Amino acid sequence: MKPWRWLKNTTRRFTALFLAGISLSVAIAACTPNANTSGTGQQGQASTVDLTLVSFAVTKAAHDRIIPKFVEKWQQEHNQTVRINASYGGSGSQTRAVIDGLEADIVQLALALDTERIEQAGLIEPGWEQEYPNNSIVSQSVPVIVTRAGNPQNIQNWQDLARDGVQLITADPKTSGVARWNFLALWGSVTENGGTEQQAQEFVRQVYQNVPILTRDAREATDVFYQQGQGNVLINYENEIILAAQQGGQQLPYVIPDVNISIDNPVAIVDRNVDRHGTREVAQAFVEYLFTPEAQAEFAAVGFRPVDASVAQRKEVADKYAPVNTLFTVQDLGGWDTIQQQFFEDGAVFDQIRAGN
């Protein structure tokens, strides 16, 4: 029987109650807040909005300084409280977590390849690199060579790592994002300095002959070098060395090679999640804030090289970060897709080097 025929046979009172029930249900549904918002402010605006930021581990010190400033600014301008729930870990692990269901609104990862994987999973729209300044690169660093006290091996540049007697500790670039930067720094020190790819492969082969153990990730490599005392040189991020010293650790001797790669860390909005959460406006504002001189100064304070030129030119920043004579990028090596295929896929250059080819 069709609904309207049934209703015609009911009493007016029941009909009124039934319709009142429908109206009440619609009203409740309309007033139910989004999972990432709570309460209402002026003109129906939620009084509180939650964002989830997923980032690689060493950005925590910078974000701890930046987030409160953004929250205060947004509160003053919009009379709305923002709560940013941040998750930190290895870039590759964070990438997998987002793909597997961690509902990040924003991701800042160690390399664009990781962000591209989230894009390929359908969570980030294509073209995210063009959404923000500097191709969405929000923080930068460079690889450095850490030595034992007094630099007994007299290490001055990448080429010294191929000498007899050197024992280099580094992670496996097949499993570690940091180690991929290390590998590319070694490779580019030849090709971006006038050498051929054949010369680069021979040089990198000689360097990896001096690696007694390939650790799974950069943190393990650091532990092997410092806690276990293995090796006499370690490749690490400049920002990690600076931050360790600031946090009361020892002053670690290190060398910045004059031909080096720019470690570029991108930021992106996770489109599918912000649209589902209703947080796009605030998420975009936070990402835009990360590029401001105020936020870039905080990145610089904890070891990252700022991407804002006005901050980089400040005396206290310029004095802190030694210039690199030849600074190349991933794009100079063909971009991440080419790099992954040429160097890190199964049977590619790195596997050939490890096999002694």
Side-chain angles (χ1 to χ4, degrees), residues 231-301:
N232 44 39
V233 289
L234 167 76
I235 305 177
N236 205 339
Y237 286 175
E238 178 186 45
N239 59 281
E240 287 236 39
I241 304 303
I242 292 174
L243 183 61
Q246 290 176 344
Q247 293 179 337
Q250 57 182 323
Q251 293 285 342
L252 306 176
Y254 64 94
V255 174
I256 303 175
D258 56 8
V259 179
N260 214 335
I261 191 168
S262 178
I263 297 174
D264 295 338
N265 316 131
V267 65
I269 283 177
V270 184
D271 295 287
R272 182 184 292 181
N273 291 344
V274 296
D275 289 341
R276 183 165 58 246
H277 300 158
T279 54
R280 180 176 288 275
E281 180 185 7
V282 183
Q284 287 180 333
F286 178 72
V287 173
E288 289 167 0
Y289 182 75
L290 294 177
F291 289 92
T292 64
E294 184 177 27
Q296 285 295 305
E298 298 298 349
F299 277 115

Side-chain angles (χ1 to χ4, degrees), residues 56 76 81 87 89 158 186 197 216 259 267 275 301 306 319 343:
F56 64 108
Q76 291 174 349
T81 300
S87 167
W158 298 120
L186 294 167
E197 290 198 343
R216 181 163 182 81
V259 179
V267 65
D275 289 341
D319 289 346
F343 298 116

Side-chain angles (χ1 to χ4, degrees), residues 140 181 184 188 192 260-264 326-336 339:
Q140 293 178 316
W181 290 113
L184 296 176
E192 301 306 307
N260 214 335
I261 191 168
S262 178
I263 297 174
D264 295 338
T326 301
L327 188 66
F328 60 95
T329 70
V330 161
Q331 296 307 314
D332 294 319
L333 300 178
W336 278 114
I339 286 169

Side-chain angles (χ1 to χ4, degrees), residues 19-20 32 37 40 54 62 68 80 96 103 147 151 159 180 187 201 203 255 303 317 337 351:
L19 294 175
T32 301
T37 60
T40 57
V54 173
Q80 185 180 50
R96 288 189 293 273
E103 294 201 2
T147 72
N151 192 2
Q159 282 61 42
R180 290 183 186 181
W187 185 274
Q201 184 158 337
F203 165 66
V255 174
V317 177
D337 289 342
D351 282 349

Side-chain angles (χ1 to χ4, degrees), residues 290-319:
L290 294 177
F291 289 92
T292 64
E294 184 177 27
Q296 285 295 305
E298 298 298 349
F299 277 115
V302 296
F304 289 97
R305 295 185 174 227
V307 299
D308 184 277
S310 67
V311 176
Q313 291 167 2
R314 296 177 186 178
K315 185 178 186 306
E316 67 274 17
V317 177
D319 289 346

Side-chain angles (χ1 to χ4, degrees), residues 194-207:
T196 67
E197 290 198 343
Q198 291 76 16
Q199 291 170 327
Q201 184 158 337
E202 175 58 22
F203 165 66
V204 175
R205 184 190 65 79
Q206 292 173 358
V207 171

